[in-house]
Amino acid sequence: MHSTVTFCLGLLASFAQGALLNRRAALEDCLSGSSTAVDEVGSDDYNRDITPFNKRLPFKPAAIAVPTTVEQIKSAMACGSKLGYKVTAKCGGHSYASLGLGGEDGHLIIELDRMNSVKVDKETNIATVNPGARLGHLAVELFAQGNRAISHGTCPGVGISGHVLHGGFGMSSHTRGLALDWVIGMNVLLANGTLVHASETENNDVYWGLLGAGSNFGIVTSYELKTFEPPANITWFVVSLPWRKNNTVAGLEALEDYALNTQPAELNMRLYATRQFTQLEGSYHGNKTDLEAALEPLLNKTGGKIAAAQTVSWIKGLEHFSTSKLNQTYPYTQVQEEFFGKSLELKGLNGTAAKGFADYWFDVAKNETTHWYIQMDIQGGKNSAVWKADSKLTSYVHRDKLYILQFYITTSGAPEDGIKFVNDWSSATTSPLAASDWGMYFNYPDTSLNRTRAQEMYWGSNLGKLQQLKGELDPHELFYYPVSLSPAQKLELA
């Protein structure tokens, strides 16, 4: 009996393996007939394209299609849909959770980074941008073609699509808003294969959903961006803070009061700390003298001192905060890290929440020798462009939050220890807070969250409407990943 059962189980495994191989072969045949290039396994392109930013999370795709036209994207999507593969668009590949690789094995990846053109209309100053452009390339081209810019993140290798479609905070956001605030139109391929244009006046429900939760609804094939003329000069700066356990809560409350009521629109700033030091750093749209005057009220209350400051050109300012050369295009070599990251979007950090945060910082984190950092960006305040924008235009739900706080720890030794360290710090911060006072930022995805909790944290009060839209546009979850939106009708049937 035992040998018979073993034989049957082995036979079933063989059938399953054979079916998988046949399905893979069918996918390869479909893609080869679609005129879409495919990365050959083991080739330089394949090895580059599957390299994750976070070494902790490598995944193996079913195939990597590399389109250079909209028709090729559409054909590759059709192959995935017909053969039952989940389809994932990849632009920059910088997701903390390797979501550009599907967040799990077996996805059909649509690698977009060969489609990276940027064209500025000299009459309207509207830029048409392909979905595979990286932020550094976008910045260089906008500036070169007409002295134009948008606000965006600091890492030049990050792709426009993942960044813009889920928020897009950076060192000009307090002055100029989020990256998604500059999107006035998009062409997008939906799960059913139709290409639609989305804007405030055309398919505005799709436009709303894409700008905040875009990876759930389709593959954007081009963006139309309004732009601004950047200042001739910016002043980057670093402020050292002499914070200890006995004065950090007071320092955080002084920072919050300043951010809410005093911080000028021209000042973009974050708190940054490691085991060794604590500082403020940022970019001021103006000269050093005006920067010093803007910071003076805060420095007087926190004991901070300007440790470094320099006035430079717009492009030099972008280069200062970048982690590599600015103009990044194909072929792109991924710089890897191995880490766990987590975010909190907070309406404030004061009182018992600030005490919990500070106590953990000085009682626990200061004794942790594994490399970690915290970074708290000031998103809001009465003078912030993020707060002044119309919150109803996009599905980015955390526009009302003052801070975007990021926790980061390297995990090369024991990842479970690092994950616990960060999660405990986060819990010490949020435990006194009402649910409406905090959430999480999708662009710093947290791999310790299950799908239900992730949706609640990333999309908050917009979740129901987004799930309804998912049910209408992608009911069979072609664009599934481990923390993607659940279609509404699936929830109703459960």
Side-chain angles (χ1 to χ4, degrees), residues 321-342:
F321 288 101
S322 70
T323 53
S324 58
K325 76 171 185 176
L326 203 55
N327 194 6
Q328 299 282 351
T329 58
Y330 168 80
Y332 176 77
T333 301
Q334 186 71 269
V335 177
Q336 291 187 282
E337 302 173 21
E338 189 167 352
F339 66 97
F340 174 70
K342 189 182 189 81

Side-chain angles (χ1 to χ4, degrees), residues 404-420:
I404 302 176
L405 171 61
Q406 179 183 179
F407 303 89
Y408 173 108
I409 188 168
T410 57
T411 57
S412 54
E416 62 277 4
D417 293 342
I419 292 170
K420 183 179 187 303

Side-chain angles (χ1 to χ4, degrees), residues 166-169 178 212 342-349 375-380 386-387 395-407 426 429-430 433-444 457-459:
H166 303 98
F169 186 88
L178 301 169
K342 189 182 189 81
S343 71
L344 297 175
E345 296 225 41
L346 301 168
K347 286 187 176 178
L349 187 53
Q375 177 179 299
M376 190 166 75
D377 287 289
I378 300 174
Q379 173 182 253
V386 178
W387 275 18
S395 56
Y396 176 72
V397 74
H398 295 307
R399 195 179 291 276
D400 62 335
K401 307 302 190 296
L402 181 63
Y403 297 130
I404 302 176
L405 171 61
Q406 179 183 179
F407 303 89
S426 172
T429 307
T430 59
L433 299 177
S436 60
D437 287 342
W438 67 284
M440 294 183 181
Y441 183 40
F442 184 91
N443 280 353
Y444 303 147
M457 289 292 96
Y458 297 143
W459 295 299

Side-chain angles (χ1 to χ4, degrees), residues 446-456 482-483:
D446 179 350
T447 57
S448 70
L449 297 179
N450 63 37
R451 190 181 186 189
T452 299
R453 186 59 171 163
Q455 292 178 77
E456 293 169 351
V483 291

Side-chain angles (χ1 to χ4, degrees), residues 90-378:
K90 175 174 173 281
C91 175
H94 274 256
S95 168
Y96 289 10
S98 298
L99 297 181
L101 293 171
E104 62 184 7
D105 292 335
H107 284 221
L108 169 59
I109 305 304
I110 312 294
E111 175 60 73
L112 297 170
D113 76 342
R114 279 64 154 181
M115 298 177 67
N116 55 32
S117 75
V118 177
K119 295 181 180 178
V120 178
D121 185 312
K122 300 295 177 64
E123 297 292 323
T124 64
N125 289 320
I126 292 171
T128 301
V129 182
N130 275 5
R134 298 178 187 273
L135 297 183
H137 179 64
L138 172 65
V140 168
E141 287 299 314
L142 291 179
F143 189 78
Q145 292 184 38
N147 190 32
R148 309 303 294 177
I150 69 164
S151 56
H152 55 73
T154 59
C155 298
V158 167
I160 184 176
S161 291
H163 186 66
V164 162
L165 294 177
H166 303 98
F169 186 88
M171 272 295 172
S172 290
S173 289
H174 195 261
T175 309
R176 292 290 190 168
L178 301 169
L180 60 73
D181 292 328
W182 295 89
V183 180
I184 58 173
M186 292 164 281
N187 288 318
V188 56
L189 278 166
L190 302 177
N192 64 7
T194 59
L195 181 69
V196 302
H197 186 260
S199 68
E200 283 186 50
T201 58
E202 190 177 3
N203 297 301
N204 68 331
D205 57 337
V206 180
Y207 176 80
W208 176 86
L210 286 172
L211 295 179
S215 54
N216 292 278
F217 302 115
I219 297 180
V220 175
T221 62
S222 66
Y223 299 88
E224 295 134 44
L225 308 177
K226 60 184 179 180
T227 61
F228 64 85
E229 181 179 350
N233 300 107
I234 65 98
T235 302
W236 62 259
F237 65 92
V238 174
V239 170
S240 60
L241 292 174
W243 286 3
R244 301 292 182 267
K245 186 178 178 181
N246 64 354
N247 67 356
T248 290
V249 171
L252 288 169
E253 292 179 342
L255 177 63
E256 181 171 326
D257 178 69
Y258 178 82
L260 283 169
N261 301 304
T262 306
Q263 182 175 339
E266 295 81 8
L267 181 58
N268 300 270
M269 187 166 63
R270 64 191 179 201
L271 174 73
Y272 183 86
T274 70
R275 184 170 180 259
Q276 292 81 20
F277 62 84
T278 304
Q279 64 188 34
L280 298 169
E281 56 189 31
S283 172
Y284 181 79
H285 287 209
N287 60 44
K288 186 177 177 182
T289 300
D290 291 342
L291 166 68
E292 291 169 345
L295 286 174
E296 185 177 9
L298 178 63
L299 301 187
N300 289 340
K301 289 186 177 180
T302 60
K305 293 184 178 180
I306 297 177
Q310 185 177 356
T311 301
V312 296
S313 69
W314 174 255
I315 289 294
K316 289 293 183 183
L318 297 178
E319 290 174 348
H320 173 78
F321 288 101
S322 70
T323 53
S324 58
K325 76 171 185 176
L326 203 55
N327 194 6
Q328 299 282 351
T329 58
Y330 168 80
Y332 176 77
T333 301
Q334 186 71 269
V335 177
Q336 291 187 282
E337 302 173 21
E338 189 167 352
F339 66 97
F340 174 70
K342 189 182 189 81
S343 71
L344 297 175
E345 296 225 41
L346 301 168
K347 286 187 176 178
L349 187 53
N350 56 66
T352 54
K355 186 176 187 308
F357 175 78
D359 284 352
Y360 194 95
W361 182 355
F362 287 92
D363 292 343
V364 180
K366 285 287 189 180
N367 296 313
E368 175 56 65
T369 57
T370 302
H371 173 63
W372 60 264
Y373 69 77
I374 51 172
Q375 177 179 299
M376 190 166 75
D377 287 289
I378 300 174

